[in-house]
Structures are given as C-alpha cells and as structure tokens.
Amino acid sequence: GDENATGCLAGAPLISDWDESTKTPGLFLVGPAVRHDQHIFCFVYKYRQRFGVVATRIALELGFENVDDAVETLRETNMYLDDFSCCKGACGEAC
C-alpha cells in the first residue's frame, strides 16, 4: 500500500491505471478495494464499470489487437469507466 496515503486510502494496494498490481504483473484488483487518486469505487455499479478496463488490458497482453469495438460498446452502455471526471464525492472520497 501507499505509506503516504491518509483517510480511506491508507493501506490501499498500489495499482496501475489498468487496475493491475504494481508488484505482481498480471494480477488485477477488482471490487470495492479499487482506489485511484482520491476515488474509491465502493459502489457495485462503479467497480463493475472497471471490469471492461481490466478485460481490455488482458486482451491486449494476450495479443488481441482490435479491442476498439468492444470498448466502444461498453462505453455506449456506460460500463467502461476510465474517465474519473464524472466521479463526485457521493460518500466522501468515494466514486
């Protein structure tokens, strides 16, 4: 975790923008423990929106080159959350 983090972020695992462990490549974190900057994905509908981000990264690592159509479909159904500007503090720092 980040030793400098405070509040709800104290002790949170460090992950990449793709929700991948910074210590163990290929290990992804999903669920309410996901944290990005000051955003905490505590609501099931918010962390479900990150599944497509993880799936995209895995597909790219496996050599799939054309994931754009799948990503666009997920975006159209509001199930691909990679823009955190829409996250407001519904419950404090939570996304």
Side-chain angles (χ1 to χ4, degrees), residues 32-78:
V34 172
R35 312 289 197 257
H36 283 284
D37 298 320
Q38 295 298 312
H39 304 295
I40 301 169
F41 298 86
C42 63
F43 299 110
V44 68
Y45 61 88
K46 286 295 182 196
Y47 69 76
R48 281 186 12 192
Q49 291 173 312
R50 295 294 294 171
F51 290 165
V53 175
V54 171
T56 298
R57 179 63 176 183
I58 292 170
L60 292 171
E61 288 293 320
L62 291 173
F64 290 89
E65 296 176 8
N66 187 6
V67 297
D68 296 340
D69 290 341
V71 169
E72 185 56 34
T73 298
L74 290 170
R75 284 188 198 285
E76 289 171 1
T77 58
N78 200 27

